[in-house]
Amino acid sequence: MKYKRLQHYPHVDGTHYGPALLPYTQAIYELLRRRLNKAFFQIGLSVEITGDILRYIAQGKLQWRHVFPQMSFVGVTTLGIALIVSTFAAMVIALQVATEMARQGASSYVGALVSLAMLRELGPIMTAVAVVAMAGSAYTAELSTMQITKQIDALRVLHVDPIRYLIMPRVVAAVLAMPLLTIITCTSGIVGGMAISQWLADIPWYTFLDSVWQQTEPKDIWTALFKSAIFGYTISILSTTIGLSTQGGAKEVGTATTRAVVWCFVSVALMDYFITFLVYGSE
Amino acid sequence: MNPSAPVLIDVSNLTKAYGGRIVLDDISIQVHEGEVLAIIGTSGCGKSTLLRLMCGLDTPDAGDIHLYDPNYSMVFQYSALFDSLTVFENVAFSLMEESDDAPKGGPLKPKLSDPEIIALVKEKLHLVGLDGIEMRYPNELSGGMQKRVSFARAIVSNPRIIFYDEPTAGLDPIASTVIENYILTLRDQLGAASVVVTHQHSTIHRTADRVCLLHGGQVRWLGTPDELEVSDNPYALQFATSSLIGPMTGDLV
Ligand SMILES: Nc1ncnc2c1ncn2[C@@H]1O[C@H](COP(=O)(O)OP(=O)(O)OP(=O)(O)O)[C@@H](O)[C@H]1O
Ligand SMILES: [Mg+2]
């Protein structure tokens, strides 16, 4: 009888190339090809690992005692930065438009403008930026260090799947924590915009809030929450799989972390476009 | 060793290459229940690679590996302790985490209560001569201490197949003897099948039932530790006498 052993995830291997005919074209072509290979490899791995995570959740193997510490890690490390960037972003919008709109007699629309900008775009995006910078990069650095110091191998020989033990709690935590963070940052942004409008354009806070209540629809809130959950998933799955598939030494930990940050930003931008297109594109 | 005992580790025609360079070339080894097989060979000859393949951390290019008991474990050459967990959590790891590759028909290990786990971890740490360090982190330990914690972590769940990658390298002679004795305890009490990679004379002679000499990706000599001392096989002779003259010199000088 043969027992199934924990699957070993392959790495992209170094490829050897023949003599170059057209040195520069060839070099650029090879670079692109390698980049694309790597991209497809990483995407494929992420999809595969997502499948494993869903399977473990369906089997009831999600352990909250591993999820909660990760949620508090994401929340605690990110909240400060997320609050600062998103509140200032909202205040900048108020700064740009409040005075002018008040002069045009449109004071009662400033609140709606700030609130919609926050919920539809800035809140989720600014929170995602903070989560990538604080939590995503930490995930990649941690997992890639565990990989090159053979701690991932040690997990496997102790019969524990690194996907269940390391990746699943981080992904679930990010998916749950990001919407909560977004609610907090949006609220804080709206309060910041309100303060700026009152201070610079003499728009009373009750007019501002009234405008927020009038124009904000439940759909905007649901979309903001959904978007943040998707961002949380994208950031955590990419940063953890990039970490897990790192090979080499200290230098590779550095490049993996950088790569994860870049990948996360690009994917968040793409996801943002698609979700916005799906939800608001037909209006 | 009892030759009629069932085979627990069965490696056949194993081949592994890294980037076109063949490290292991058509290796076949069997280890029986209640047997300790020592693997010796020059540095870089592929001993760690062989262990990694046997416990499924790497995939072979060709050949088959069968383990006939799901409860296997490994002691790594460089400890590989979880550095964000305490010594206690490291040793208790396989008792507290459920197993993901348990075969059908139940979990790999019995569910233990917390006091039982604490007692067991204390016992194993005491066994390797490390009392009262449960709450320390691996980076607060010396290399030899890490090695012993790693040993305790691997044996705490009483594995029936166990791979040791240089378990006594870098340890003082007393700690080495403790480890060697425990390798024999596991063999005698649980009928464990063990593979011990080692360079250490004492470990070979105290623990091994058979010795397998690896060189150039192939098994060059197989016999008991006593036969190793008197063999006229050129590889065994060179290893036993630490001579610079012999078939294994080319790689070293
Ligand atoms: N991931 C890898 N990529 C490329 N080559 C590797 C890799 N791992 C091992 N090797 C090569 O395989 C050979 C065997 O390595 P291995 O670690 O198995 O040696 P070893 O017998 O355990 O040596 P030592 O006694 O020094 O621990 C070495 O020549 C090494 O360079
Ligand atoms: Mg080795």
Side-chain angles (χ1 to χ4, degrees):
Chain A
M1 176 168 44
K2 188 181 175 184
Y3 296 103
K4 175 184 173 292
R5 271 166 292 164
L6 294 177
Q7 204 179 345
H8 175 80
Y9 282 89
H11 305 269
V12 194
D13 50 24
T15 331
H16 297 283
Y17 305 111
L21 291 177
L22 299 163
Y24 294 113
T25 348
Q26 188 82 12
I28 292 168
Y29 168 76
E30 286 300 349
L31 188 73
L32 281 177
R33 202 178 65 87
R34 244 181 304 167
R35 281 282 150 87
L36 268 181
N37 267 353
K38 219 167 198 171
F40 281 123
F41 168 80
Q42 214 74 62
I43 293 169
L45 193 57
S46 301
V47 169
E48 202 176 320
I49 289 180
T50 305
D52 285 351
I53 293 176
L54 292 176
R55 185 166 50 80
Y56 280 129
I57 292 177
Q59 290 171 353
K61 283 192 165 184
L62 182 65
Q63 286 166 310
W64 292 104
R65 73 187 162 98
H66 291 321
V67 175
F68 287 130
Q70 295 302 331
M71 277 183 81
S72 83
F73 170 75
V74 175
V76 170
T77 53
T78 311
L79 187 60
I81 294 285
L83 277 180
I84 292 172
V85 287
S86 54
T87 310
F88 271 92
M91 285 175 12
V92 164
I93 294 186
L95 193 62
Q96 297 264 17
V97 301
T99 330
E100 186 57 30
M101 282 173 78
R103 199 180 302 139
Q104 305 277 346
S107 304
S108 59
Y109 291 103
V110 177
L113 188 83
V114 171
S115 131
L116 287 187
M118 280 314 285
L119 282 172
R120 287 188 176 185
E121 277 307 319
L122 291 174
I125 285 282
M126 291 296 165
T127 310
V129 168
V131 170
V132 172
M134 306 297 290
S137 59
Y139 284 168
T140 310
E142 184 184 6
L143 265 69
S144 53
T145 305
M146 289 185 77
Q147 174 70 44
I148 64 170
T149 55
K150 306 257 187 290
Q151 294 178 53
I152 303 280
D153 288 343
L155 275 179
R156 288 209 183 93
V157 294
L158 293 171
H159 310 275
V160 169
D161 187 350
I163 293 169
R164 177 182 67 75
Y165 180 75
L166 293 172
I167 297 191
M168 181 162 73
R170 283 165 174 74
V171 171
V172 172
V175 168
L176 296 179
M178 272 274 312
L180 296 177
L181 283 169
T182 303
I183 289 293
I184 299 173
T185 55
C186 284
T187 312
S188 156
I190 290 170
V191 172
M194 187 176 78
I196 291 291
S197 308
Q198 168 95 55
W199 180 37
L200 291 181
D202 285 329
I203 299 171
W205 61 269
Y206 44 86
T207 314
F208 187 96
L209 276 191
D210 204 40
S211 160
V212 172
W213 294 136
Q214 294 290 323
Q215 304 288 327
T216 308
E217 291 173 34
K219 179 183 169 188
D220 295 318
I221 296 173
W222 292 124
T223 311
L225 294 178
F226 176 66
K227 237 186 206 181
S228 330
I230 297 286
F231 290 171
Y233 161 75
T234 312
I235 294 166
S236 53
I237 195 87
L238 283 177
S239 53
T240 48
T241 49
I242 289 175
L244 196 68
S245 54
T246 302
Q247 261 193 329
K251 183 163 159 270
E252 280 74 16
V253 171
T255 48
T257 310
T258 313
R259 191 150 48 89
V261 168
V262 172
W263 270 69
C264 288
F265 280 144
V266 172
S267 321
V268 162
L270 295 180
M271 287 288 172
D272 188 30
Y273 178 82
F274 286 117
I275 297 171
T276 310
F277 181 79
L278 286 178
V279 178
Y280 298 104
S282 55
E283 280 180 3
Chain B
M1 183 200 83
N2 171 9
S4 64
V7 172
L8 286 189
I9 305 170
D10 187 1
V11 173
S12 52
N13 309 105
L14 189 69
T15 298
K16 178 75 184 173
Y18 284 115
R21 208 164 41 82
I22 292 175
V23 176
L24 298 174
D25 185 9
D26 200 26
I27 290 204
S28 300
I29 295 174
Q30 290 187 333
V31 187
H32 298 257
E33 191 179 272
E35 184 190 16
V36 178
L37 174 74
I39 295 184
I40 58 175
T42 51
S43 181
C45 73
K47 304 179 297 295
S48 297
T49 305
L50 179 58
L51 285 200
R52 291 176 55 79
L53 288 168
M54 288 205 255
C55 60
L57 292 174
D58 238 331
T59 36
D61 296 331
D64 277 317
I65 300 152
H66 287 228
L67 302 184
Y68 292 93
D69 195 301
N71 193 357
Y72 62 89
S73 187
M74 174 163 172
V75 178
F76 285 85
Q77 187 169 3
Y78 301 106
S79 306
L81 296 175
F82 304 124
D83 52 19
S84 55
L85 302 182
T86 61
V87 167
F88 175 85
E89 289 167 325
N90 265 284
V91 178
F93 194 86
S94 62
L95 303 174
M96 298 201 301
E97 290 300 326
E98 70 177 289
S99 136
D100 288 313
D101 58 355
K104 284 204 182 69
L108 209 51
K109 44 230 162 185
K111 199 93 187 106
L112 297 177
S113 68
D114 286 354
E116 282 172 319
I117 292 180
I118 292 171
L120 202 56
V121 169
K122 271 209 153 65
E123 180 201 320
K124 300 299 179 197
L125 282 174
H126 176 74
L127 181 96
V128 295
L130 296 170
D131 292 298
I133 63 154
E134 286 91 341
M135 288 306 132
R136 289 210 226 163
Y137 283 90
N139 65 354
E140 298 166 342
L141 306 178
S142 76
M145 290 163 90
Q146 291 182 7
K147 192 114 203 187
R148 284 181 280 162
V149 172
S150 161
F151 183 85
R153 177 179 74 178
I155 50 98
V156 74
S157 59
N158 290 334
R160 292 212 58 224
I161 294 179
I162 176 153
F163 304 99
Y164 306 91
D165 201 347
E166 309 201 9
T168 52
L171 296 186
D172 61 82
I174 301 150
S176 293
T177 305
V178 168
I179 300 274
E180 287 154 11
N181 286 347
Y182 201 74
I183 293 175
L184 296 178
T185 306
L186 281 179
R187 177 193 72 179
D188 297 336
Q189 291 186 353
L190 300 173
S194 327
V195 179
V196 186
V197 167
T198 183
H199 297 296
Q200 219 147 305
H201 187 268
S202 69
T203 310
I204 300 171
H205 283 269
R206 286 220 191 91
T207 65
D209 296 304
R210 279 192 304 161
V211 181
C212 161
L213 199 159
L214 220 59
H215 186 75
Q218 289 178 339
V219 176
R220 300 295 181 175
W221 186 83
L222 195 65
T224 66
D226 293 337
E227 287 166 5
L228 178 66
E229 298 302 316
V230 296
S231 168
D232 55 6
N233 173 297
Y235 293 94
L237 192 64
Q238 188 182 4
F239 198 93
T241 57
S242 318
S243 168
L244 279 182
I245 299 153
M248 301 193 288
T249 306
D251 301 0
L252 300 174
V253 289

